[in-house]
Each structure stands twice: as C-alpha cells, then as structure tokens.
Amino acid sequence: MAVRTNPEAALAERLAAEVRAQADAGAERIDWPALLAVAGVSRRQVDRIALAELGETPARMLRRLRGLAAVALLEAGADVLNASLRAGYSGPGRLHDAMVRSRGFTPGEIRRRGEGVSVLWDVVATSIGPVLLGATRRGLCSLRSCVRIPPEEHLAEMRSDWPLAEFRRDPAALEPVACELIEFLEQRRDSFSPEIDLPPGTPFQQRVWEELRRLEPGETVSYSELARRVGKPRAVRAVASVCAANQLTIAIPCHRAMRKDGSLAGFRWGIEWKRRLLEIEREALERRRAG
C-alpha cells in the first residue's frame, strides 16, 4: 500500500533545510528570495506552513539557530566579537541583547560559564511549604518547592548549569521578594510579579513561558489552548513538557495550565501543591469579585 505524504510537512522540511543553510552561512536575516524560490508559495504561506509544521516561522528559526551557534562558540572559548560575527550578528551589542533576552546571561557570562555571576539564594517558609529562592542582579532566577526535593538537590542542579558562578545565601537581599511571595500566598496581595531573570530556553519554551505570564491569578488555560496561543496547536505534549521544566514556579505560573477536561495533570512539585495554589488564587478572585 502506498504511503501518503503530507505536502505541507515535506515543504516545511525543505524550508527548514534552507534556513539551516542560511544560518550556517552566517546570515543575519532571512534571504527571502532564496527561501521563496525553494517554497514556490507566498511569504505569508511560508510563515503559516512553517508555524504549523515546525512550531516557528523561518525568522524565528534563524534567530534560534544563530543563538545556538553563538553559545557553542562562546562555550568553546571564542571571544565575544568573533562569536557575534561568526554566528551572524552585526556586532557584540546585537549578540548581547539576544543572549540576555533568550538565555538570561550576557555573552561574557556564557563564555565564562557563570564566572563573575552572583546567585543569591535562601530557603523561605511559606503557607504551602518551604521554597528555594534564587536571584541574580537582573531578578528572580529560581523559585522551587522544597516540599518533596531538599534545597541541597536544587542547589546542586543550579550549580551544574553554571559551575563557575558564585552562590551565596543572602536572606536580607531576598527579603523583598520573599515578603511579596508570602503575602500573595496568604491572600494579602493580589498578584506576584517580581522582576525575573528568565531562565535559558528555546524560542518555543520562551513563548510558552511568556504566554503563561499573561494569565491573571485565578485564570486557567488548557494545554491544548496554550499550544494554540503559541502557534503550535499540535504540540500539546511539548507544551506540557515546557511547563514541567519550569524552574520559576508561581512567577511563571505553570500551575494554571491543566488538561482540556479541567482535571489536573502532573506537576513537578506535586499535584497537591498545584491544587493548593489554584485554590488560593480562586478564593482571592472570588473575594475580589464579591467586593
């Protein structure tokens, strides 16, 4: 029996191959005439097909591939100028902005694997159990439940990502964000929205986290709807995996994502923790509406 092929999937593979070739050649922007020659369809159709089949437009794919190339060069010891030019950036300034936006670290910090970066941390008691807070100079970079996983394990994981960074326990420095969190969980504050140092992630992960942060306390979304909102409706499982990988719980409210039927799916910090967070937010929302 003949195997049916999906014409749009096949076209998406050709588009991806062309974008990879442009990235390998150090392109800063998509060469649209070359891409459209491969596609044989309009630019609008190219974006639609790429988004549906690949989860990202050609422009986003090129930015992601350039970012990966730059990180590889930096980690291999290339200086920032050479890494930026070889990866297709017009200069160190453009690379700096791209790395901070997508990975939360400057090119120099990536090159040094965290050398010169200070991560301040503390364990804070809250109404739903102890949490580990971590912050860089740019904002909160970690918020993890210590109910099931001890702080030592969390710190070991963080140190493995940035082995040369300085980790220092500093309750005083973290007191403002700790107080904001405690007040939110005790329903004495309507929201918890600290400055955050967004963790490193792919463009797809970044889009999911950004969409989650648009949700208001008490608002929920299904994984399938979340996948649709980030332009990848078929990637429901991938969206759930992104939620599971979140290391900034509550600040990036992955607990507000659930199954299509409204039931609670697995949660990195435990279903009971997720249920309690949702209860806290629903109770606060009902009081606001009643008042």
Side-chain angles (χ1 to χ4, degrees):
M1 184 175 65
V3 178
R4 289 186 177 182
T5 59
N6 180 340
E8 291 196 347
L11 174 55
E13 290 181 6
R14 296 199 299 274
L15 293 173
E18 173 61 25
V19 174
R20 283 193 291 269
Q22 293 186 19
D24 290 343
E28 184 174 7
R29 295 180 179 83
I30 289 291
D31 180 347
W32 278 104
L35 195 64
L36 294 177
V38 169
V41 296
S42 71
R43 179 168 173 171
R44 184 176 180 180
Q45 287 175 300
V46 165
D47 278 342
R48 178 187 64 77
I49 292 168
L51 195 58
E53 298 294 333
L54 304 172
E56 56 189 352
T57 64
R60 283 178 177 170
M61 179 182 292
L62 182 64
R63 286 197 296 270
R64 175 174 61 81
L65 293 173
R66 287 166 56 208
L68 291 173
V71 169
L73 288 165
L74 291 166
E75 291 183 339
D79 62 68
V80 176
L81 176 60
N82 280 319
S84 62
L85 297 178
R86 289 170 62 187
Y89 294 89
S90 58
R94 294 293 295 273
L95 176 60
H96 176 279
D97 292 345
M99 291 295 99
V100 171
R101 183 172 59 249
S102 66
R103 295 179 176 269
F105 287 87
T106 68
E109 289 167 347
I110 292 171
R111 184 172 183 265
R112 296 189 297 270
R113 301 195 69 197
E115 184 180 0
V117 177
S118 291
V119 179
L120 309 180
W121 67 275
D122 192 26
V123 178
V124 177
T126 77
S127 61
I128 57 174
V131 299
L132 183 142
L133 300 179
T136 68
R137 66 179 183 274
R138 285 183 285 269
L140 194 67
C141 66
S142 184
L143 199 170
R144 305 168 180 229
S145 168
C146 300
V147 173
R148 300 194 306 173
I149 302 173
E152 294 77 16
E153 289 188 23
H154 289 312
L155 285 168
E157 183 179 358
M158 293 166 66
R159 286 190 172 108
S160 69
D161 290 336
W162 300 100
L164 300 182
E166 175 196 9
F167 285 78
R168 185 173 78 252
R169 190 166 192 171
D170 193 334
L174 289 164
E175 184 176 5
V177 70
C179 289
E180 183 179 339
L181 175 63
I182 290 168
E183 289 174 4
F184 173 69
L185 294 174
E186 293 179 355
Q187 301 180 21
R188 293 185 283 128
R189 177 187 286 267
D190 290 340
S191 64
F192 176 66
S193 53
E195 291 293 324
I196 68 171
D197 190 350
L198 201 62
T202 66
F204 175 65
Q205 288 175 314
Q206 299 281 344
R207 294 202 301 277
V208 173
W209 291 331
E210 288 169 5
E211 193 62 40
L212 285 168
R213 296 195 78 205
R214 292 191 178 99
L215 298 173
E216 296 293 331
E219 183 183 0
T220 59
V221 65
S222 68
Y223 293 112
S224 55
E225 171 61 17
L226 187 55
R228 187 195 67 77
R229 291 184 187 182
V230 300
K232 199 168 183 181
R234 301 177 185 177
V236 178
R237 289 186 179 180
V239 163
S241 296
V242 172
C243 292
N246 177 26
Q247 298 177 11
L248 266 169
T249 187
I250 308 178
I252 299 176
C254 54
H255 61 279
R256 296 174 192 161
M258 55 186 59
R259 294 192 180 102
K260 196 172 184 179
D261 63 3
S263 62
L264 304 186
F267 189 55
R268 183 176 185 181
W269 317 115
I271 287 292
E272 287 306 315
W273 221 63
K274 181 170 186 171
R275 181 177 289 110
R276 183 58 188 139
L277 284 171
L278 291 171
E279 287 173 353
I280 288 170
E281 293 185 352
R282 287 191 188 114
E283 290 168 4
L285 180 61
E286 288 171 3
R287 276 199 303 275
R288 290 198 300 273
R289 287 174 174 171

